[in-house]
Amino acid sequence: MKVLIIGSGGREHALAWKLSQSDVEQIVCVPGNGGTAALKRCENVPLAVDDFQGIGQCVQERQISLVVVGPELPLSLGISDYLRSQGIPVFGPTQAGAQIEASKSWAKELMQSAGVPTAAAQTFTDANAAKAYIRAQGVPVVVKADGLAAGKGVTVATTLAQAEAAVDAAFGGTFGLAGEKVLVEEYLTGQEVSVLVLTDGVSVQLLLPAQDHKRIGEGDTGANTGGMGAYAPVPLVTPALMDQIQREIIEPVVMALQQRGIDYRGVLYAGLMLTPKGGPKVIEFNCRFGDPETQVILPLLETPLEDLLLACAEQRLAQAPPIRWKTGVAACVVTAAQGYPGAYTKGQAISGIEQAEGLGVAVFQAGTKFRDQQLVTDGGRVLGVTAWGENFAQAIAEAYAAVEQIHYEGKYYRRDIGYRVRAGSATC
Ligand code: AMP
Ligand code: GLY
């Protein structure tokens, strides 16, 4: 089996890393990164993720048996439709299915029609109407640009001035077309968890629940980021709660997608708030694997990943046996560039990855590239250092010990990843 992975982040490195441990004959990453280039049987092909023709040609030339799409952008542009129309098995939803992430108003309507618990929201195409509604609702309130905004389109506003500024920013073009519509949403409290599901559009198999640390600062403070670290599984999410999430959220949404004639084969990622009184509510859906959630889920997967992905792509997930997991837990600490998620520097030389890996962890590369044979920083989130073991205390300590081995100018990381589970007692 030959697999082509689209994308260049830590998530794609983790997917390629997992596949490289199995019987997969060849892995092609488009465009991949310095980490994927170093994996066994793995090759990078420098094409853009939205170069459909180039990717289609690469798939034909190399006789690829499965394409796995990592990021939301090519999905939202219809890469799965394009490749599938050429008879290529693809893990990743169609353009219509990707709307679940690419349009928050579309996703909200889908959830409401399916009776799925989610924050109450109103959609606006006019700034004055949105502001009048916000004044009537009061704060805190959440303002969201409708479309893909690279994780920057959401403002949790605690003052009216912040909420109104967020409305102005969206309608003022800060997020381009993504801000032509704005959702004003009820503010939910509780703990956030990520429940990722593999689906072939009919059947579902839930992956281990993960918790991401979205804020830049320790104690979950400061600006939102793509994710500064994660751990899995989440002790708070008991098997009974997973069943409830499957019955009340996942299955109704998969059914609603089917009813709209949408062929959804890939990951359905539910970002949930575990509200103290109302149970789990959906904050957002993503149409892809989470980053850095994937970096903590895959090390614990026992079932060969390629079997699951191909079963989804070929719509035979119902015949696949239940997913098997290794015992134990995993934690990932993301190291970022100084200044992230604001403006940050690039091009700092990175050293110490081999020493870190020598401690038995996986160092997943995200914002990196080679310049004159030297690995340098090339993005906001630079590396994801993942360790796994019997308990959280051990896995987290190992991840941090490995982070200490890695050096580059301006290395920033949170020192409290997994603080809710660190002591080993399930206090979250
Ligand atoms: P999203 O891009 O929709 O995941 O939002 C980014 C982050 O904003 C989430 O991870 C939450 O921390 C926060 N957020 C989004 N919607 C809400 C909400 N309705 N209530 C409270 N926090 C929210
Ligand atoms: N870690 C959040 C995301 O993948 O969207």
Side-chain angles (χ1 to χ4, degrees):
M1 183 170 173
K2 297 181 181 174
V3 183
L4 184 142
I5 300 173
I6 298 176
S8 61
R11 164 186 51 210
E12 288 78 20
H13 187 183
L15 286 162
W17 171 83
K18 191 70 186 177
L19 292 173
S20 78
Q21 292 168 1
S22 70
D23 296 336
V24 170
E25 193 186 326
Q26 196 194 351
I27 305 159
V28 177
C29 291
V30 175
N33 61 31
T36 57
L39 290 170
K40 282 187 295 192
R41 303 189 302 281
C42 191
E43 176 199 2
N44 286 350
V45 174
L47 293 170
V49 298
D50 59 356
D51 179 358
F52 289 12
Q53 270 196 327
I55 293 173
Q57 211 177 330
C58 177
V59 166
Q60 302 293 0
E61 279 168 12
R62 284 157 207 264
Q63 300 179 314
I64 297 292
S65 3
L66 172 68
V67 174
V68 181
V69 189
E72 62 277 18
L73 181 73
L75 291 168
S76 71
L77 296 174
I79 185 116
S80 299
D81 310 63
Y82 177 82
L83 295 174
R84 231 172 256 150
S85 72
Q86 301 183 5
I88 300 159
V90 183
F91 180 87
T94 56
Q95 185 171 33
Q99 288 180 95
I100 203 157
E101 175 166 1
S103 169
K104 291 184 191 293
S105 58
W106 189 89
K108 191 62 81 177
E109 193 278 317
L110 184 87
M111 285 186 262
Q112 286 164 347
S113 73
V116 165
T118 180
Q122 290 280 336
T123 303
F124 296 93
T125 50
D126 171 77
N128 288 333
K131 288 180 188 174
Y133 178 78
I134 288 169
R135 283 194 292 274
Q137 294 293 309
V139 288
V141 75
V142 184
V143 179
K144 299 186 172 182
D146 185 54
L148 294 179
K152 300 207 165 80
V154 175
T155 303
V156 178
T158 50
T159 65
L160 278 179
Q162 272 174 351
E164 294 192 2
V167 169
D168 285 334
F171 286 119
T174 305
F175 310 116
L177 294 178
E180 283 188 343
K181 270 191 211 162
V182 163
L183 270 77
V184 179
E185 196 168 283
E186 169 197 11
Y187 172 73
L188 299 175
T189 57
Q191 267 197 54
E192 285 180 54
V193 293
S194 306
V195 174
L196 280 65
V197 170
L198 301 182
T199 180
D200 60 2
V202 181
S203 298
V204 296
Q205 291 223 27
L206 276 63
L207 302 181
L208 290 179
Q211 190 162 52
D212 177 14
H213 291 270
K214 292 216 163 102
R215 304 295 193 98
I216 189 70
E218 279 147 27
D220 295 327
T221 54
N224 254 319
T225 70
M228 293 302 296
Y231 63 92
V234 184
L236 183 66
V237 185
T238 59
L241 183 54
M242 280 298 259
D243 280 350
Q244 185 187 350
I245 291 166
Q246 177 163 352
R247 271 183 288 107
E248 293 180 5
I249 293 172
I250 303 299
E251 287 172 356
V253 163
V254 170
M255 182 74 78
L257 289 165
Q258 265 179 53
Q259 282 164 353
R260 282 166 165 74
I262 290 172
D263 181 5
Y264 199 106
R265 308 181 209 178
V267 172
L268 182 61
Y269 162 144
L272 305 172
M273 187 73 89
L274 303 181
T275 65
K277 288 197 186 130
K281 292 191 179 179
V282 179
I283 294 182
E284 61 162 351
F285 277 112
N286 293 320
C287 61
R288 49 160 178 88
F289 280 105
D291 189 342
E293 289 92 330
T294 305
Q295 289 89 311
V296 288
I297 293 171
L298 293 185
L300 300 175
L301 181 67
E302 182 79 51
T303 305
L305 177 62
E306 63 278 17
D307 292 354
L308 293 168
L309 302 182
L310 195 60
C312 291
E314 294 180 340
Q315 279 197 308
R316 48 178 180 74
L317 190 61
Q319 285 101 59
I323 298 178
R324 284 173 286 115
W325 297 100
K326 299 180 180 172
T327 53
V329 304
C332 173
V333 177
V334 169
T335 73
Q338 189 80 56
Y340 175 79
Y344 53 82
T345 51
K346 289 185 183 179
Q348 307 295 340
I350 303 171
S351 64
I353 291 185
E354 269 180 32
Q355 288 83 341
E357 286 177 335
L359 299 178
V361 306
V363 179
F364 296 120
Q365 299 190 23
T368 66
K369 72 170 186 189
F370 278 100
R371 193 184 58 197
D372 306 329
Q373 318 285 330
Q374 166 68 52
L375 191 69
V376 298
T377 65
D378 194 43
R381 291 190 294 170
V382 178
L383 303 169
V385 179
T386 298
W388 52 94
E390 275 174 27
N391 59 56
F392 283 115
Q394 179 200 340
I396 293 168
E398 283 179 13
Y400 277 108
V403 165
E404 290 307 322
Q405 298 295 316
I406 294 168
H407 305 284
Y408 56 85
E409 186 72 30
K411 179 180 80 172
Y412 170 81
Y413 59 97
R414 275 181 59 168
R415 288 160 201 273
D416 66 344
I417 297 305
Y419 67 85
R420 293 190 176 95
V421 291
R422 221 175 235 211
S425 59
T427 53
C428 40

